[in-house]
Amino acid sequence: MEIKLLSEHYSNPKFCELAGYEAFGGYKVLKTALTMQPQQIIDEVKASGLRGRGGAGFPTGVKWGFLPKNGEPRYLLCNADEGEPGTCKDRVMMEKAPHQLIEGMIISGFAVGSKKGYIYVRGEYFHVIAILEQAILEAYKAGFLGKNILGTGVDFDLDVYSGAGAYICGEETALISSLEGKKGQPKLKPPFPAVQGYLRKPTIVNNVETLAAVVPILRDGAAAYKKYGTEKSAGTKFFSLSGNIVKPGNYEVPLAYPLKDMIYKLGGGLRPGRKLKAVIPGGSSAPVLTAAEAEVATLDYECMAGMGTMLGSGAIIVIDDSQCMVDMLAVLTHFYSHESCGQCTPCREGTGWLNKIVHSILEGRGRLQDIDLLVKVADNMKGRTICALSDAAALPVLSFVTKFRDEFEFYVREGRSKVKGASHAQMHH
Amino acid sequence: MPKCTINGKEIEVKDGSTVIEAMHDQGIHVAHYCWHPGLSVAGVCRLCMVDIEGMPRVQIACNTTVTEGMKINNTSQKVKDAVKWGLDFHLINHPLDCPICDQAGECGLQDQYMEFGKYDPEMAEKKVKKHKVMDLGPTVVLDSERCILCSRCVRFTKEVSQSNELGIFNRGDHSEISTFDGQKLDNNYSLNTVDICPVGALTSKDFRFRQRAWYLKEGNSICNGCSTGCNIKTYFNKEGFFRVKPVYNKEVNGHWMCDDGRDLYKFVNRDHRYLKASHRQESGWSQILPGAAAKEVSTHVKAGGEELALVLTGQYTTEEYEKIIGIFTKDLKTKNIFHWVNNKESFEAFDNLLIRGDKNPNTKGLLQVFEKNQISKTWADLETSLKAGAIKTVVVAGPENLKFYKDLDAKVQLFSQAKKVIWLQTAKHPALEKLPINSWIIPMKSFVEKEGSFVNYKGLSQKMNKVTTIVSEALTLAEAAELMAGHQISIKPDTHILTDADRPLDQVMSEHRKKNEFVFKRGTV
């Protein structure tokens, strides 16, 4: 069942305007939050068990705690570079409730002692940028942003920055490089952004959903938020349901919600006559689950980790028996080889190599040893680079090839897909 | 001073040392391409992998600071496999064109693959095509397909030359080094990018295709291009000198040298040198052996006294100055010793990196010897005496590198006011043909052909060894002084012409063999 902590009023078109937002209690939390001590807010967020909703699932309160005690300036960056294939939740959140994010950012900025925030929006979301800019303008006019917010002496300025469409800029240090005006490439860690981030100053980077979730947490209290989900996966989360499903879309459910229910109840099940073959549970970087695994999986960090995959950004891609796994993997390897920034050798060369091997198979030139080679190459890309893109490219390959090896072997032997009628993805160089 | 354990051996390292620095200090060879001690850490080649106890994944040694009690290991199978595959990733799109690649023989890919490689290539796909023979500027050519994108050159232009011409363009396996729009790689230090390029991507226009690396011998020396005194390595064979590279010296030049310094090897090669002494008589120029010429002029010089003058440039070694000034002041009894300053107005100029306005390697050394011998005559004194006809014989120790001496014609004219000019000179210059009747040109040894020291701008005296001999009959300034003063000395012509005089041939061979031992035991790698 959906629990709409954040999305309760998303169906109301007025909710994206300041007046509409305030009519439903918007900015009330801000007013109380500004009377609290910053540490109290951090403690509350820690107690709520909120984990980063962008993909890595790192506890938000703990991340905030990494900032040095003193020193200005420090920056709060909102990662709205939603690029993980299958993910479209941040877009809807920003379209439907820009003020929710702004309110969350002001509170979070106050909590971590930042006076300047940026929302880094992915380049393709130009209409979202317009909505955000309009909302920020309204917030400034109403005195929620700028100097001396609501007479409390707290300052917070907020700006929107447009990315240029690079997937890698969703990685926090690459996002920082891009925001600094440089080529969007991840930076070596250490130093970590909390110590040296944007313009070499202490910086916190949080996902849209994470920052927005701060509002209901402070509104209802950490305990109320923690009622949902499990001990380690608290609260609600948006899931973007896509693929071979009757009712694709964004659904806000409590964590630990059964994946089966997500597909068959909220998602309306598969198209008639189709059988479930696989599910990618957390965006294209997450290792794929077989239908059997999907039947028993629950949507929380622990269960996913236990099944060797991850909750990621919450993008659930449903794959039915009309799809060819070789074909699907080719789409993914092409994506990662296109998006590798090219800095680290294993990723730069490895993503291209994987892509070429999969396409060789797809074009009938595959050799049986290529299947093992895919595993070897992917294995040696994992954990060897500055950022996680290399892993993100390797993990789907490893899971596709191990779990659906028969389809790959069939393709190599026969030169065609095991799935009748599966069309070649027309990939393009 | 944290203590750590590297491959089972406990050592103490400097505060703030990275693991790769600590391992290098221990003489442990760690595979790497992007790391360079003179540049910032990029951490992109992912080869310097080490196992650190307590860390689940292998770590790069270049961006890991040693902490107390750290246990580091790079001999485990996990590390070896990571390095093998790391190298393979470097090579899958690298062209196999070693036979026609200028870097072959001194290539980081060849060397490290021999030592750490996988030896069973599995890449069966088409390689990525990139730009070939890209003209980056007046000195450097780029072959993008050979480039492994270690970003050393980019960081060099950003951090050292601060000229920012280079960048990496595009993404993924289509990334390429290039210059920014409309720019050329054109700065005074551009050839350092060729030195630090671990592969054959950046090559020097001056050197490329002229010699194979394995046909060259090496010898260290001191650059005589300016008063900085960069430590250099010269590369030569029986055909002459072919290039110069910097040698690390923390006190002087760090890891770098300027592009001007790299051209100076040209002045030492035979084509540019006086091989025989020349004597201009009524009937024209006649040639004799340098030693004989020096003896012959002694009849004019020996008389000495106030009619004799000595002009010195700051291009010879301190030891030579001591000898010649000693002989001229004590034996030949003249105080007419002058310092020929070539570019006084820019003497103090400095580009904040290496290049100094004083284009002589040993001005300081010369002035020190002047002071010791209480020589205080000025250039104006020389001009007056020459004009007045008081000086009859001038001995000139001419400049060795002519690039920075633009006023040779004027000087020839000036000295011609004396009846006899004895010009001691290394490299040929057309201006000297205008010397008057009764003049001599006596060939000198160049800086790579002799021992001695240069005192640099800050008073640091640097000793250099002889690299080889190019013109065996040429004299050092000291020898010339002795002979001109009529002293009996025996000069043995060098027999080891253009061979490594200090190292007998078989020793060279065995050292070479030792260095390349892995080639011979390749089968067991």
Side-chain angles (χ1 to χ4, degrees), chain B residues 49-60:
Chain B
M49 293 293 187
V50 289
D51 238 343
I52 294 172
E53 206 176 87
M55 293 198 186
R57 291 173 160 185
V58 286
Q59 300 289 320
I60 49 170

Side-chain angles (χ1 to χ4, degrees), chain B residues 332-492:
Chain B
L332 305 175
K333 309 262 181 297
T334 178
K335 285 272 171 185
N336 287 334
I337 300 177
F338 304 94
H339 178 197
W340 173 0
V341 183
N342 55 327
N343 50 346
K344 184 124 192 115
E345 60 293 341
S346 55
F347 243 46
E348 295 306 317
F350 179 46
D351 72 345
N352 289 319
L353 188 50
L354 290 175
I355 302 173
R356 292 185 182 268
D358 178 3
K359 295 295 176 194
N360 300 287
N362 202 15
T363 301
K364 268 267 160 75
L366 177 61
L367 294 177
Q368 282 172 4
V369 181
F370 267 29
E371 206 183 309
K372 215 156 95 185
N373 290 280
Q374 291 158 350
I375 306 226
S376 53
K377 293 227 168 168
T378 65
W379 195 254
D381 295 339
L382 175 67
E383 286 175 334
T384 325
S385 309
L386 279 167
K387 209 168 184 184
I391 290 173
K392 301 273 167 23
T393 307
V394 185
V395 175
V396 183
E400 188 170 322
N401 61 63
L402 298 167
K403 194 167 175 176
F404 307 111
Y405 278 76
K406 306 285 184 205
D407 60 343
L408 271 166
D409 283 288
K411 287 296 189 297
V412 166
Q413 229 169 10
L414 174 72
F415 301 145
S416 297
Q417 293 176 65
K419 281 186 180 153
K420 295 186 188 68
V421 182
I422 297 147
W423 196 300
L424 312 172
Q425 180 72 16
T426 311
K428 281 190 228 168
H429 194 280
L432 299 194
E433 283 163 27
K434 297 191 197 101
L435 283 170
I437 289 163
N438 285 330
S439 297
W440 278 267
I441 303 169
I442 300 179
M444 291 285 108
K445 287 252 162 69
S446 66
F447 74 112
V448 291
E449 295 169 285
K450 61 194 176 193
E451 283 180 6
S453 24
F454 288 152
V455 181
N456 80 350
Y457 73 98
K458 60 176 177 188
L460 179 75
S461 177
Q462 301 194 87
K463 180 134 179 45
M464 58 181 185
N465 291 320
K466 175 174 151 184
V467 177
T468 184
T469 302
I470 295 165
V471 180
S472 65
E473 297 85 359
L475 305 173
T476 65
L477 198 54
E479 288 165 349
E482 299 261 25
L483 290 170
M484 286 190 298
H487 298 168
Q488 291 295 323
I489 58 164
S490 72
I491 300 170
K492 279 192 218 131

Side-chain angles (χ1 to χ4, degrees), chain A residues 76-82 90 94 97-106 116-123 125 128-129 131-133 135-136 145 156-163 175 179 204-209 211:
Chain A
L76 176 68
L77 309 183
C78 171
N79 186 346
D81 191 68
E82 186 172 51
D90 295 343
M94 291 184 288
H99 285 286
Q100 206 173 45
L101 172 61
I102 294 168
E103 186 177 6
M105 280 194 79
I106 305 167
K116 177 81 203 181
Y118 290 96
I119 306 173
Y120 185 99
V121 187
R122 90 177 249 182
Y125 285 1
V128 172
I129 293 172
I131 293 168
L132 283 173
E133 279 179 342
I136 287 172
L145 281 172
F156 190 72
D157 282 299
L158 188 57
D159 248 321
V160 179
Y161 187 93
S162 168
L175 184 149
L179 194 62
I204 289 290
V205 186
N206 283 137
N207 173 254
V208 174
E209 191 184 344
L211 289 165

